[in-house]
Each structure stands twice: as structure tokens, then as C-alpha cells.
Amino acid sequence: MKNKISSFKDKYRENPGWYWLLAAIFLFPILPEYISPFILFIGFIVFKRQWTHEGKKARVGTLGKMMMAFMGLALISTIWSGTKFSTFSTAMLWWGMFLIEVMIYNLAVTRQRIDKILSTMVISGGINGFIGALQICSYTLYRFGLIPKHLVFVTPFYRYIDQAVYDVLPFEISTSMWASRASGFFSNPNLLSTYMIIVFPISIYLYLNAKSKKQKTFYFIFNILISAGLSSTMTRAGCFLAIFGWIFMFIVLAKKYAKPMLQIFIPTVCVIIPSILTRYGLIFKTVGQISGGGSGGVEAKKSSAAHFRIWESLIDYLTSHLKTFFAGLGFGVEETGQVLLNEYSLNKPHAHNFVLETWMELGIIGVILLMVIILCAFGKMLEINANNGKKFTLVFCVFTSMLIYLVFGLTDYIFNSPKQIILLFILLGLTQAISHCYDKTIIKDSHSLKEVTVREIENTIHQK
């Protein structure tokens, strides 16, 4: 044991920034929202001191520069925002979360380190899934009168600490405390669902490329825990997208990986499908309710109807206010919530759609900037010559993670908290790191785009 500790200390001294990066990625989804960012800030300071000591300059990369332009616009929007404190603090929060992208791009310089980051994400996700499963199972047992209320595993995990912290803050933080849908270490079921759908494809990548039977068993178990965590949230979009993600990956990877993909799918379906049925009130009708009553099926239908009302209202507002259409109301969701409440009598905090929310906050200019960043991120993955099994599954699974993360954002706002915002920067940092580590053809014009597209189609066919 002493030798192991001594060996770790030596490795840490050689590259402290790397170990702080892993700690930030692991702990951010587990610690409370008001503690997690400080782990990242400390880690970045350690990384920056290390880089200065070694005479290096931190790179931000193409995606990083684009994101800085987007965040610069967010910061500038404080000028015309009606809620300047909210706008400024939200913009600065994005700048803070951006540090993880810089750290990943500079520190994940080998394929082994990329795999280590992905493994860290999956382990953290599996722990969240385990806690989520305990929360929903204990709540279900309580609802059926099988255990007393004091044995229910509290959700959110930090519920009482959160309440104590938020009560002493000089400004109000409004959070919905759910009892009947699990949140893991997150403060809201949808936040937990966001992380679960990102790590779900990554856990499949690690399972498919496990080097030993022990590793394969390990990642199989963690895939089940992630599926259980997603199921425990009873978030309809998240559950459907996990199944869609598996189908999408199976279609592409079936020829080479049909058997292990089916091995993953059986427990996934067994865990997730009951959650969907419960949310629609088809089974376990006493479960899956918002604190306050109403069956799962009725609540789910009301939720869908409310989303459509929100979207219709915001489209009406954008098309009726030219200034907002082009420049937005200012970064941060507070103004959007006020518009929904004051103009349309909808007591909703945000647009439940990241495109509409960005449009309300930064106008069509902000939407275009964000879409360019997303398209460039997908383009960077397309540039990579994924000409072998492991490389192909890596690129494809990270691509799938980003895709279903963004699709999930069409039904819920995916940048609503530090724990959600940082996920975007982790995915962008991984995209840049993977692009840096593997051979690629830079997309410069329509000819090179056609070239890499044809090549990747051939690589895909070869996999099949």
C-alpha cells in the first residue's frame, strides 16, 4: 500500500493538472452545484501553474475560439439586459465552465488519456445511476406501504443541504424538489437524465473495446447502472433517446458487434421500458407523480401540452419583437421566465428548448453562432479517419452522445445549471482532443467535405 501511495505521489508531481482534471470530471456530477465549480477552478489554477512552470501556453483550439466568441456576446448582452445581475453572472458561469474544455484539450494528448476521461465519466455516471435506483426503488416500496417513509432514500440527494444553503443566499434560487422521480446527486430529474444519456453511449464504447473479461463485466454492470439511473428519472425524452441511441449504434455496428450490442440491449430495455410505461400511467399508477398529486399518465400529457404552449408563446413573442428577434433579451433564463409569466400567464422558468432559449437570450445572432459551433464539432469528428474498429466506435459513440444530448435539448433546456453547462464543454473538449490524437483530413472546402464524407461512408460500410 505504501508503495502504491508513493508511486501515485510521484505520478501526481509529474502532472498534477491531469489528476485535477480527472477529479473535476469525476466529482462534478457527484458534488452539489455550489461546490463542484470550485473543484474545477482549483484544478485549473494547478494546471495553469504547471503550464507556466513548464513554459507552455494553454491552447483553446478552433472550437474554443468559437465558444469564446459566443460567450463574449453573452457577456456583452448585459448592456441591454433587463436583469443585468442574472445575465452577467450566467455569462461568467459559462466562462468558468469553459475551463474544462481548455484543460481536456491540453492534457488529453494521448488515446489512453481520452479513454481514461471516458472511463471516469462512466464511473461517475454509474454511481449516480446507483443512487437514482435506490431513490426510486425505496420511494416505490414506500408508496406501496412496504417500508416506512423515513427509510426512503431522499431525493435530491442533497435536498436538506440545498435548502439550508439556498436560504442563506442573498438572492432567491427557485428549485422544484421532486419526491417521486429520482435525481441522483443532481437537483432535478431532468439534470440527471442529461448526464445519463451522454454517458450511456460512452459506456457502450468502453464495453465493446474492453481488453479483458474483468473489464467487460465492469463496464456491463456500469451500463446497467446508467440505464437504471435514467429509468429512475422517468424522463420520457431521455428514456426514448437512450433506446434510439442504442438502435442507431446497432444499425451501424451490427456486423462486427451484434452479439455484445444485444447483450447490452436486453438489460437496458428491461430497465427503461417499465419507466416509460409508469410515466404514462400504464403500470404502477401510484408511482411517477409530481409532488402534489395526479397520475403519471395525466401528468405526462399535461407536461407535453405545456411544452407546446411555451414554444408557441415564445415564437409569437420573437416574431412580434424585432429587437429580441435579432439581439435577444440578454443572457440567462430569467428574462424568458418573466416574458412567459407576464405576457402569456405561463409560470415556467425557461423555453424547454435550447434553440428557442438561446434565441430569446441572444437573438438570431446567438443561435447562428451556437449552431456554427455545433456543426464544426460534428465536422471535426467527420474529419477523423476512423479506419479501425476501436477508432470507429470511439468517434461514433462520442458523436452519438453529442447528438442525443442536443436532441434532448429540443424538449428541455440543457444549459440550466453548472452540472449541465459543463457537459457541453466536456464534449467539445473531447472532440478537440480526439481530433488532435488521430489522423484526419481537414475540411477546408466543398471538395474536402465530399472527400471525408465518402471516406467515412466507406469506413461505416466496412464496419457493417
Side-chain angles (χ1 to χ4, degrees):
M1 180 61 72
K2 289 183 179 179
N3 290 336
K4 288 183 178 180
I5 294 173
S6 177
S7 176
F8 174 77
K9 286 181 178 178
D10 291 338
K11 290 178 180 178
Y12 175 81
R13 291 191 192 100
E14 289 177 8
N15 198 349
W18 168 244
Y19 289 97
W20 273 97
L21 171 62
L22 292 179
I25 290 173
F26 176 75
L27 293 173
F28 215 99
I30 290 177
L31 296 175
E33 308 252 21
Y34 37 84
I35 295 177
S36 294
F38 294 101
I39 302 297
L40 172 59
F41 300 153
I42 294 169
F44 186 80
I45 292 170
V46 172
F47 156 73
K48 192 66 175 68
R49 288 185 63 185
Q50 176 187 342
W51 244 231
T52 302
H53 178 73
E54 295 176 4
K56 299 177 181 177
K57 290 185 178 180
R59 300 166 297 139
V60 296
T62 305
L63 293 179
K65 291 173 183 176
M66 290 180 175
M67 185 52 74
M68 289 174 71
F70 177 82
M71 296 186 300
L73 175 62
L75 201 54
I76 292 170
S77 72
T78 304
I79 297 171
W80 62 82
S81 171
T83 53
K84 295 187 184 302
F85 175 77
S86 174
T87 297
F88 179 78
S89 57
T90 304
M92 291 308 298
L93 177 62
W94 276 64
W95 279 97
M97 298 304 98
F98 173 66
L99 300 179
I100 199 83
E101 180 180 344
V102 177
M103 290 180 72
I104 292 173
Y105 184 43
N106 285 271
L107 292 167
V109 293
T110 66
R111 301 172 187 184
Q112 291 76 21
R113 286 190 179 183
I114 289 170
D115 279 355
K116 189 66 176 178
I117 288 175
L118 296 176
S119 179
T120 303
M121 292 174 67
V122 166
I123 293 171
S124 185
I127 293 171
N128 259 289
F130 177 70
I131 296 299
L134 287 179
Q135 290 169 335
I136 197 65
C137 288
S138 61
Y139 177 78
T140 303
L141 292 173
Y142 160 70
R143 291 293 295 180
F144 283 107
L146 298 175
I147 62 171
K149 189 174 182 179
H150 71 270
L151 292 181
V152 175
F153 214 78
V154 65
T155 183
F157 186 84
Y158 299 110
R159 171 188 286 262
Y160 303 116
I161 300 175
D162 290 348
Q163 290 173 337
V165 171
Y166 296 153
D167 284 344
V168 301
L169 290 176
F171 49 86
E172 184 180 352
I173 294 181
S174 177
T175 59
S176 299
M177 296 291 186
W178 302 75
S180 59
R181 292 170 57 197
S183 304
F185 291 106
F186 289 75
S187 59
N188 180 288
N190 289 349
L191 270 63
L192 174 60
S193 182
T194 307
Y195 192 49
M196 296 295 99
I197 61 173
I198 286 175
V199 294
F200 178 75
I202 293 172
S203 69
I204 293 177
Y205 157 74
L206 293 170
Y207 174 72
L208 295 178
N209 293 280
K211 295 179 180 179
S212 65
K213 188 175 181 180
K214 184 178 179 180
Q215 276 190 353
K216 211 169 188 68
T217 302
F218 179 83
Y219 290 121
F220 181 79
I221 292 171
F222 270 80
N223 179 269
I224 294 174
L225 290 176
I226 290 165
S227 297
L230 182 57
S231 177
S232 72
T233 68
M234 286 190 282
T235 304
R236 292 161 296 155
C239 291
F240 281 122
L241 280 171
I243 294 173
F244 164 78
W246 180 90
I247 294 171
F248 181 47
M249 288 184 284
F250 182 80
I251 291 171
V252 176
L253 303 174
K255 184 175 181 181
K256 190 169 184 178
Y257 299 102
K259 184 178 179 180
M261 286 295 291
L262 287 171
Q263 289 171 342
I264 283 283
F265 187 60
I266 293 170
T268 297
V269 169
C270 291
V271 169
I272 290 179
I273 292 297
S275 175
I276 296 173
L277 297 176
T278 299
R279 190 72 201 279
Y280 281 100
L282 300 175
I283 60 173
F284 299 124
K285 293 186 180 182
T286 58
V287 188
Q289 308 174 70
I290 292 180
S291 303
S295 72
V298 172
E299 186 269 316
K301 292 173 184 176
K302 286 183 178 179
S303 176
S304 297
H307 283 184
F308 283 112
R309 283 188 63 199
I310 291 169
W311 300 336
E312 289 171 2
S313 300
L314 293 181
I315 290 171
D316 174 72
Y317 188 86
L318 285 164
T319 53
S320 304
H321 296 77
L322 196 62
K323 181 182 176 182
T324 304
F325 182 93
F326 285 104
L329 295 169
F331 204 52
V333 299
E334 190 170 338
E335 288 259 28
T336 303
Q338 289 183 8
V339 166
L340 288 169
L341 181 61
N342 298 330
E343 301 288 332
Y344 301 97
S345 301
L346 291 171
N347 188 18
K348 301 294 180 181
H350 49 69
H352 283 276
N353 179 294
F354 83 96
V355 178
L356 276 176
E357 183 62 47
T358 303
W359 201 341
M360 285 292 293
E361 295 176 11
L362 297 177
I364 195 67
I365 300 170
V367 172
I368 291 171
L369 268 174
L370 186 57
M371 291 301 110
V372 168
I373 293 168
I374 292 169
L375 288 174
C376 286
F378 284 129
K380 278 198 170 293
M381 284 186 267
L382 185 63
E383 290 176 347
I384 298 166
N385 183 16
N387 56 359
N388 63 55
K390 182 175 181 179
K391 195 190 303 185
F392 185 86
T393 52
L394 170 63
V395 174
F396 184 66
C397 288
V398 172
F399 172 89
T400 303
S401 285
M402 186 175 290
L403 177 65
I404 59 178
Y405 168 62
L406 295 171
V407 173
F408 182 67
L410 298 179
T411 61
D412 194 60
Y413 188 50
I414 50 175
F415 308 136
N416 200 35
S417 75
K419 285 189 176 184
Q420 281 185 306
I421 296 167
I422 200 171
L423 298 177
L424 174 65
F425 291 113
I426 289 174
L427 289 172
L428 293 177
L430 281 170
T431 300
Q432 291 197 129
I434 294 168
S435 176
H436 176 74
C437 289
Y438 288 92
D439 295 332
K440 57 187 175 295
T441 301
I442 305 297
I443 299 175
K444 298 178 179 178
D445 48 35
S446 58
H447 176 74
S448 56
L449 175 60
K450 180 181 177 182
E451 181 182 332
V452 297
T453 303
V454 171
R455 184 194 64 203
E456 291 311 307
I457 291 173
E458 290 175 350
N459 286 336
T460 303
I461 294 171
H462 176 71
Q463 293 297 317
K464 294 175 71 177

